[in-house]
Coordinates of all heavy atoms in Angstrom, one line a residue:
Q54 N -3.9 -5.3 13.6 CA -3.2 -6.6 14.1 C -4.1 -7.8 14.2 O -3.7 -8.9 14.0 CB -2.5 -6.3 15.5 CG -1.4 -5.4 15.4 CD -0.7 -5.2 16.7 OE1 0.5 -4.9 16.7 NE2 -1.3 -5.4 17.8
D55 N -5.4 -7.6 14.7 CA -6.2 -8.7 15.0 C -7.3 -9.0 13.9 O -7.6 -10.1 13.7 CB -6.9 -8.5 16.4 CG -5.9 -8.3 17.5 OD1 -4.8 -8.9 17.3 OD2 -6.2 -7.7 18.5
A56 N -7.8 -7.9 13.3 CA -8.9 -8.2 12.3 C -8.2 -8.6 11.0 O -8.9 -9.3 10.2 CB -9.7 -6.9 12.1
Y57 N -7.0 -8.3 10.8 CA -6.3 -8.7 9.6 C -5.1 -9.5 10.0 O -3.9 -9.1 9.7 CB -5.9 -7.5 8.7 CG -7.0 -6.6 8.3 CD1 -7.0 -5.3 8.8 CD2 -8.0 -7.1 7.5 CE1 -8.1 -4.5 8.4 CE2 -9.0 -6.3 7.1 CZ -9.1 -5.0 7.5 OH -10.1 -4.1 7.2
P58 N -5.3 -10.6 10.7 CA -4.1 -11.4 11.2 C -3.3 -11.9 10.1 O -3.9 -12.4 9.1 CB -4.7 -12.4 12.1 CG -6.1 -12.6 11.6 CD -6.5 -11.3 11.0
M59 N -2.0 -11.9 10.2 CA -1.1 -12.4 9.2 C -0.2 -13.4 9.9 O 0.8 -13.0 10.5 CB -0.4 -11.3 8.5 CG -1.3 -10.4 7.7 SD -0.5 -8.9 7.1 CE 0.6 -9.7 5.9
E60 N -0.5 -14.7 9.7 CA 0.3 -15.7 10.4 C 1.5 -16.1 9.5 O 2.5 -16.7 10.0 CB -0.5 -16.9 10.7 CG -1.7 -16.6 11.6 CD -1.4 -16.0 12.9 OE1 -0.3 -16.4 13.5 OE2 -2.1 -15.2 13.4
N61 N 1.4 -15.8 8.2 CA 2.4 -16.3 7.2 C 3.6 -15.3 7.2 O 3.5 -14.2 6.8 CB 1.7 -16.4 5.9 CG 2.6 -16.9 4.8 OD1 3.8 -16.6 4.8 ND2 2.0 -17.7 3.9
K62 N 4.7 -15.8 7.7 CA 5.9 -15.0 7.7 C 6.4 -14.4 6.4 O 6.8 -13.3 6.2 CB 7.1 -15.7 8.4 CG 6.9 -15.9 9.9 CD 7.1 -14.6 10.5 CE 7.0 -14.7 12.0 NZ 6.9 -13.5 12.7
I63 N 6.2 -15.2 5.3 CA 6.6 -14.8 4.0 C 5.7 -13.6 3.6 O 6.2 -12.6 3.1 CB 6.5 -15.9 3.0 CG1 7.5 -17.0 3.3 CG2 6.6 -15.4 1.5 CD1 7.4 -18.3 2.5
L64 N 4.4 -13.7 3.9 CA 3.5 -12.6 3.6 C 3.8 -11.4 4.4 O 3.9 -10.3 3.8 CB 2.0 -13.0 3.8 CG 0.9 -12.0 3.5 CD1 1.0 -11.7 2.0 CD2 -0.4 -12.6 3.9
I65 N 4.1 -11.5 5.6 CA 4.5 -10.4 6.5 C 5.8 -9.7 5.9 O 5.9 -8.5 5.8 CB 4.7 -10.8 7.9 CG1 3.3 -11.2 8.5 CG2 5.4 -9.7 8.8 CD1 3.4 -11.9 9.9
N66 N 6.8 -10.5 5.6 CA 8.0 -10.0 5.2 C 7.9 -9.3 3.8 O 8.8 -8.5 3.5 CB 9.1 -11.1 5.1 CG 9.5 -11.6 6.5 OD1 9.3 -10.9 7.5 ND2 10.0 -12.8 6.6
N67 N 6.9 -9.6 3.0 CA 6.8 -9.0 1.7 C 5.7 -8.0 1.6 O 5.4 -7.5 0.5 CB 6.6 -10.1 0.7 CG 7.8 -10.9 0.4 OD1 8.8 -10.4 0.0 ND2 7.8 -12.2 0.8
S68 N 5.1 -7.7 2.8 CA 4.0 -6.6 2.8 C 4.6 -5.3 3.3 O 5.4 -5.3 4.2 CB 2.9 -7.1 3.7 OG 2.3 -8.3 3.3
R69 N 4.1 -4.2 2.6 CA 4.6 -2.9 3.0 C 3.5 -1.9 3.0 O 2.6 -2.0 2.1 CB 5.7 -2.4 2.0 CG 7.0 -3.2 1.9 CD 7.8 -3.0 3.2 NE 9.0 -3.8 3.1 CZ 9.1 -5.0 3.6 NH1 8.1 -5.6 4.2 NH2 10.2 -5.7 3.5
L70 N 3.6 -1.0 3.8 CA 2.8 0.2 3.8 C 3.8 1.4 3.7 O 4.5 1.7 4.7 CB 1.9 0.4 5.0 CG 1.2 1.7 5.3 CD1 0.4 2.1 4.1 CD2 0.4 1.7 6.5
F71 N 3.9 2.0 2.6 CA 4.7 3.2 2.4 C 3.9 4.4 2.7 O 2.9 4.7 2.2 CB 5.3 3.3 1.0 CG 6.2 2.2 0.6 CD1 5.8 1.1 -0.1 CD2 7.6 2.3 1.0 CE1 6.7 0.1 -0.4 CE2 8.5 1.3 0.6 CZ 8.0 0.2 0.0
M72 N 4.5 5.3 3.6 CA 3.8 6.5 3.9 C 4.9 7.6 3.6 O 6.0 7.5 4.0 CB 3.4 6.6 5.3 CG 2.4 5.4 5.6 SD 1.7 5.5 7.2 CE 0.5 6.8 7.0
F73 N 4.4 8.7 2.9 CA 5.4 9.8 2.6 C 4.6 11.1 2.6 O 3.4 11.2 2.6 CB 6.1 9.5 1.3 CG 5.3 9.1 0.2 CD1 4.7 10.0 -0.7 CD2 5.1 7.7 -0.1 CE1 4.0 9.6 -1.7 CE2 4.3 7.3 -1.1 CZ 3.7 8.3 -2.0
N74 N 5.4 12.2 2.5 CA 4.9 13.5 2.5 C 4.2 13.8 3.8 O 3.2 14.5 3.8 CB 4.1 13.9 1.3 CG 4.9 13.9 0.0 OD1 6.0 14.2 0.0 ND2 4.2 13.5 -1.1
M75 N 4.7 13.2 4.9 CA 4.0 13.3 6.2 C 4.6 14.5 6.9 O 5.8 14.6 7.1 CB 4.3 12.0 7.0 CG 3.5 11.9 8.2 SD 3.8 10.4 9.1 CE 3.1 9.2 8.0
P76 N 3.7 15.5 7.3 CA 4.2 16.6 8.1 C 4.8 16.1 9.4 O 4.4 15.1 9.9 CB 2.9 17.4 8.4 CG 2.0 17.0 7.3 CD 2.3 15.6 7.0
S77 N 5.8 16.8 9.9 CA 6.5 16.3 11.1 C 5.6 16.1 12.3 O 5.8 15.1 13.0 CB 7.7 17.3 11.4 OG 7.2 18.6 11.7
M78 N 4.6 17.0 12.5 CA 3.7 16.8 13.6 C 2.9 15.5 13.5 O 2.7 14.7 14.4 CB 2.8 18.0 13.8 CG 1.8 17.8 14.9 SD 2.5 17.7 16.5 CE 2.7 19.4 16.9
I79 N 2.5 15.2 12.3 CA 1.7 14.0 12.0 C 2.6 12.8 12.2 O 2.2 11.7 12.7 CB 1.1 14.0 10.6 CG1 0.3 15.2 10.3 CG2 0.4 12.7 10.3 CD1 -0.8 15.5 11.3
E80 N 3.9 12.9 11.8 CA 4.8 11.8 12.0 C 5.0 11.4 13.4 O 5.1 10.3 13.8 CB 6.2 12.1 11.3 CG 7.1 10.9 11.3 CD 8.3 11.2 10.4 OE1 8.3 12.2 9.6 OE2 9.3 10.4 10.6
K81 N 5.0 12.4 14.3 CA 5.1 12.2 15.8 C 3.9 11.4 16.3 O 4.0 10.4 17.0 CB 5.2 13.5 16.5 CG 6.6 14.1 16.3 CD 6.7 15.4 17.0 CE 8.1 16.0 16.7 NZ 8.2 17.4 16.7
F82 N 2.7 11.8 15.8 CA 1.5 11.0 16.2 C 1.5 9.6 15.6 O 1.1 8.7 16.3 CB 0.2 11.7 15.7 CG -0.3 12.9 16.5 CD1 0.1 14.2 16.2 CD2 -1.0 12.6 17.7 CE1 -0.3 15.2 17.0 CE2 -1.4 13.7 18.5 CZ -1.1 15.0 18.2
F83 N 2.0 9.5 14.4 CA 2.0 8.2 13.8 C 3.0 7.3 14.5 O 2.8 6.1 14.7 CB 2.3 8.3 12.3 CG 2.1 7.0 11.6 CD1 0.8 6.6 11.3 CD2 3.2 6.2 11.2 CE1 0.6 5.3 10.6 CE2 3.0 5.0 10.6 CZ 1.7 4.6 10.3
N84 N 4.1 7.8 14.9 CA 5.1 7.0 15.7 C 4.5 6.6 17.0 O 4.9 5.5 17.5 CB 6.4 7.8 15.9 CG 7.2 7.9 14.6 OD1 7.2 7.0 13.8 ND2 7.9 9.0 14.4
M85 N 3.6 7.3 17.6 CA 3.0 6.9 18.8 C 2.1 5.7 18.5 O 2.1 4.7 19.2 CB 2.1 8.1 19.3 CG 1.7 7.9 20.8 SD 1.0 9.3 21.6 CE 0.4 10.4 20.3
F86 N 1.4 5.7 17.4 CA 0.6 4.6 16.9 C 1.5 3.4 16.7 O 1.1 2.3 17.1 CB -0.2 5.0 15.6 CG -0.8 3.8 14.9 CD1 -1.9 3.2 15.4 CD2 -0.2 3.3 13.7 CE1 -2.4 2.1 14.7 CE2 -0.7 2.3 13.0 CZ -1.9 1.6 13.5
L87 N 2.6 3.6 16.1 CA 3.5 2.5 15.8 C 4.0 1.8 17.1 O 4.2 0.6 17.1 CB 4.8 2.9 15.0 CG 4.6 3.3 13.5 CD1 5.8 3.8 12.9 CD2 4.1 2.0 12.8
S88 N 4.2 2.6 18.1 CA 4.7 2.0 19.4 C 3.7 1.0 20.0 O 4.1 0.1 20.8 CB 4.9 3.1 20.4 OG 3.7 3.7 20.9
Y89 N 2.4 1.0 19.6 CA 1.5 0.0 20.1 C 1.5 -1.3 19.3 O 0.9 -2.3 19.7 CB 0.0 0.6 20.0 CG -0.3 1.7 20.9 CD1 -0.4 3.0 20.4 CD2 -0.4 1.5 22.3 CE1 -0.7 4.1 21.3 CE2 -0.7 2.6 23.1 CZ -0.9 3.8 22.6 OH -1.2 4.9 23.5
L90 N 2.1 -1.3 18.1 CA 2.1 -2.4 17.2 C 3.1 -3.5 17.6 O 4.2 -3.2 18.2 CB 2.4 -2.0 15.8 CG 1.4 -1.1 15.1 CD1 1.9 -0.8 13.7 CD2 0.0 -1.8 15.0
D91 N 2.8 -4.7 17.3 CA 3.7 -5.8 17.5 C 4.9 -5.6 16.5 O 4.7 -5.0 15.4 CB 3.1 -7.2 17.2 CG 2.0 -7.6 18.1 OD1 1.9 -7.0 19.2 OD2 1.2 -8.4 17.8
D92 N 6.1 -6.1 16.9 CA 7.3 -5.9 16.1 C 7.1 -6.3 14.6 O 7.6 -5.7 13.7 CB 8.5 -6.5 16.7 CG 9.0 -5.8 17.9 OD1 8.7 -4.6 18.1 OD2 9.7 -6.4 18.7
Q93 N 6.4 -7.5 14.4 CA 6.3 -8.0 13.0 C 5.5 -7.0 12.2 O 5.8 -6.9 11.0 CB 5.6 -9.3 13.0 CG 4.2 -9.3 13.4 CD 3.6 -10.7 13.4 OE1 4.3 -11.7 13.2 NE2 2.3 -10.8 13.5
Y94 N 4.6 -6.2 12.7 CA 3.9 -5.2 12.0 C 4.7 -4.0 11.8 O 4.5 -3.3 10.7 CB 2.5 -5.0 12.6 CG 1.6 -6.2 12.6 CD1 1.5 -7.0 13.7 CD2 0.9 -6.5 11.4 CE1 0.7 -8.1 13.6 CE2 0.1 -7.6 11.3 CZ 0.0 -8.4 12.4 OH -0.8 -9.6 12.4
K95 N 5.5 -3.6 12.7 CA 6.3 -2.4 12.6 C 7.2 -2.5 11.4 O 7.5 -1.5 10.7 CB 7.1 -2.2 13.8 CG 6.3 -1.8 15.0 CD 7.2 -1.6 16.2 CE 6.4 -1.3 17.5 NZ 7.3 -1.3 18.7
T96 N 7.7 -3.7 11.1 CA 8.6 -3.9 9.9 C 7.9 -3.7 8.6 O 8.6 -3.4 7.6 CB 9.3 -5.3 9.9 OG1 8.3 -6.3 9.8 CG2 10.1 -5.5 11.2
M97 N 6.6 -3.8 8.6 CA 5.8 -3.6 7.3 C 5.7 -2.1 6.9 O 5.5 -1.8 5.8 CB 4.4 -4.2 7.5 CG 4.4 -5.7 7.7 SD 2.8 -6.3 8.2 CE 1.8 -5.8 6.9
I98 N 5.8 -1.2 7.9 CA 5.5 0.2 7.7 C 6.8 0.9 7.4 O 7.7 0.9 8.3 CB 4.7 0.8 8.9 CG1 3.4 0.0 9.0 CG2 4.5 2.3 8.7 CD1 2.6 0.4 10.2
K99 N 6.9 1.7 6.4 CA 8.0 2.5 6.0 C 7.6 3.9 5.8 O 6.8 4.2 5.0 CB 8.7 2.0 4.7 CG 9.1 0.5 4.8 CD 10.4 0.3 4.2 CE 10.8 -1.1 4.2 NZ 11.6 -1.5 5.3
I100 N 8.2 4.8 6.6 CA 7.9 6.2 6.5 C 9.1 6.8 5.7 O 10.2 6.7 6.1 CB 7.8 6.9 7.9 CG1 6.6 6.3 8.7 CG2 7.6 8.4 7.7 CD1 6.5 6.8 10.1
L101 N 8.8 7.4 4.6 CA 9.8 7.9 3.7 C 9.9 9.5 3.9 O 8.9 10.1 4.1 CB 9.5 7.6 2.2 CG 9.3 6.2 1.9 CD1 8.9 6.0 0.4 CD2 10.5 5.4 2.2

Side-chain angles (χ1 to χ4, degrees):
Q54 291 183 154
D55 300 333
Y57 303 115
M59 296 174 65
E60 305 298 327
N61 184 320
K62 285 291 183 191
I63 294 170
L64 183 59
I65 290 170
N66 292 337
N67 289 297
S68 296
R69 296 285 178 272
L70 168 57
F71 290 98
M72 301 188 78
F73 48 88
N74 293 329
M75 189 179 292
S77 60
M78 177 61 86
I79 305 302
E80 190 170 343
K81 289 177 182 154
F82 279 97
F83 191 76
N84 284 330
M85 199 169 21
F86 166 74
L87 286 178
S88 71
Y89 292 109
L90 294 178
D91 294 341
D92 287 340
Q93 70 180 10
Y94 293 99
K95 289 178 187 176
T96 62
M97 294 168 60
I98 299 170
K99 303 221 181 267
I100 300 174
L101 304 178

